[in-house]
Amino acid sequence: MQVVRSLDELNSVLEVVWAAAVRIGFVPTMGALHEGHLSLTRLCGPCDYRVVSIFVNPTQFAPNEDLSRYPRTLDEDLAMLSRENIDLVYVPSVEDMYGSGVQISIQPGEMGKVFEGAIRPEHFAGVLTVVGKLFHRVKPDVAVFGEKDFQQLCLIRKMVKELDWPVQILGGKTIRESDGLAMSSRNRFLKQSERASALALSRALRRGQEAAIRGVKSTEELRGEMMQAVREFPAATVDYLTAIEPESYAEPLEFSATSRLIGAIRVGSVRLIDNMPICE
Ligand code: PAF
């Protein structure tokens, strides 16, 4: 496994790979890797050459979000990747990524203004712009993103489709702890006393699935059932909890089999997001 830290180094390694016209699989990450990320790298299995990037992207953090608090565990990350079938890890600096400026950005449009986009207004422009830059640098055939960040995944699919980029986007299933908590780099910030309350979100989403199986049809009724599940965890507060259509991110009056249950809660200083299909 090779590790490169600059665009020049990346180009000199990839020139040979591009010339060989092999299929390149790519997993962009912000590091602090866990089993969820490793499962994404395994989806690149059918590709001939596998690239992972590790870059804590400052433009997707708002000033109040404390970029410096984001976990940075590069040595552990590289050790984990070296045990997977990875050919190249790209670890650019902020200077390497944005040295030429940050005036131009990719705007996410209406789908990027709701839910996560309403709470974090600049977030998705930062995500789409850095993903676009990484795609231009790596030129992957296939790129893999986790379903855990479902709105991000839907926006990346939309960006690639609307901008005619020749890259196939794969979504990787959310990996969960044995009690159902979705794996996330942010879980490490949960205090021991908060860990049990973090389950409020996955329990609420499961309750939504159960309600759909029982025959509930209206999104409002479904939301009520999910809110009721969160109330069993008094330390958890809800940012949103609902069903949406993945194509538009609009909330239908009556959900369908393609709808997705999405939610965000806060437990102490930690904000958690999660989602599940209506029926699995
Ligand atoms: O999901 C993430 O880790 C980040 O948003 C991404 C896609 C690597 C862009 O910085």
Side-chain angles (χ1 to χ4, degrees):
M1 186 178 89
Q2 278 180 283
V3 180
V4 294
R5 290 168 192 275
S6 72
L7 181 55
D8 284 347
E9 279 179 277
L10 182 77
N11 279 331
S12 62
V13 174
L14 285 183
E15 260 159 23
V16 184
V17 182
W18 294 323
V22 296
R23 270 177 84 70
I24 299 178
F26 179 42
V27 183
T29 79
M30 297 209 297
L33 302 183
H34 50 67
E35 197 51 41
H37 296 104
L38 298 185
S39 73
L40 303 182
T41 69
R42 289 169 199 149
L43 289 179
C44 292
C47 292
D48 307 290
Y49 192 87
R50 286 156 286 269
V51 184
V52 172
S53 64
I54 298 178
F55 178 61
V56 183
N57 175 34
T59 67
Q60 67 190 76
F61 288 80
N64 64 333
E65 284 179 338
D66 201 358
L67 166 68
S68 63
R69 193 176 171 232
Y70 197 85
R72 287 162 172 85
T73 56
L74 186 58
D75 291 344
E76 290 95 315
D77 293 348
L78 293 177
M80 285 168 94
L81 293 174
S82 69
R83 292 189 287 272
E84 301 296 319
N85 199 5
I86 305 301
D87 297 286
L88 180 65
V89 186
Y90 178 36
V91 192
S93 63
V94 174
E95 171 63 23
D96 182 69
M97 185 58 72
Y98 291 116
S100 57
V102 286
Q103 299 287 309
I104 308 292
S105 64
I106 300 175
Q107 293 302 317
E110 294 307 309
M111 196 200 271
K113 292 186 185 146
V114 292
F115 301 107
E116 285 308 293
I119 291 163
R120 309 177 69 191
E122 301 304 320
H123 175 67
F124 287 123
V127 170
L128 295 187
T129 305
V130 81
V131 169
K133 284 170 75 79
L134 286 164
F135 281 1
H136 288 305
R137 290 178 179 210
V138 175
K139 303 187 188 22
D141 297 280
V142 175
V144 191
F145 296 85
E147 286 185 350
K148 159 82 172 40
D149 295 301
F150 196 69
Q151 195 171 359
Q152 166 176 289
L153 173 63
C154 293
L155 280 164
I156 290 169
R157 286 192 198 284
K158 197 170 164 63
M159 169 176 78
V160 162
K161 191 169 170 208
E162 288 195 11
L163 300 183
D164 305 319
W165 287 348
V167 49
Q168 182 191 357
I169 304 298
L170 296 183
K173 293 228 171 310
T174 302
I175 306 295
R176 297 179 182 279
E177 306 287 354
S178 54
D179 59 6
L181 180 69
M183 284 194 188
S184 163
S185 311
R186 289 165 202 251
N187 290 354
R188 68 188 74 201
F189 294 129
L190 288 166
K191 297 192 188 117
Q192 220 183 339
S193 57
E194 296 169 339
R195 177 62 180 73
S197 304
L199 287 182
L201 186 49
S202 56
R203 294 277 166 87
L205 296 172
R206 287 266 177 251
R207 191 77 65 88
Q209 288 181 325
E210 287 157 16
I213 290 168
R214 274 203 329 272
V216 168
K217 297 233 170 332
S218 94
T219 300
E220 200 178 331
E221 205 179 322
L222 195 71
R223 197 184 302 119
E225 297 249 1
M226 293 194 288
M227 291 295 286
Q228 189 57 39
V230 175
R231 279 187 211 106
E232 290 163 23
F233 299 83
T237 56
V238 174
D239 275 351
Y240 58 81
L241 204 46
T242 189
I244 53 93
E245 286 306 328
E247 285 297 312
S248 59
Y249 246 76
E251 288 174 277
L253 282 177
E254 292 208 340
F255 56 85
S256 68
T258 59
S259 304
R260 192 96 184 174
L261 300 169
I262 60 165
I265 64 165
R266 289 170 204 258
V267 179
S269 64
V270 186
R271 190 163 178 278
L272 301 166
I273 61 172
D274 197 357
N275 65 88
M276 289 182 193
I278 285 271
C279 39
E280 293 199 273

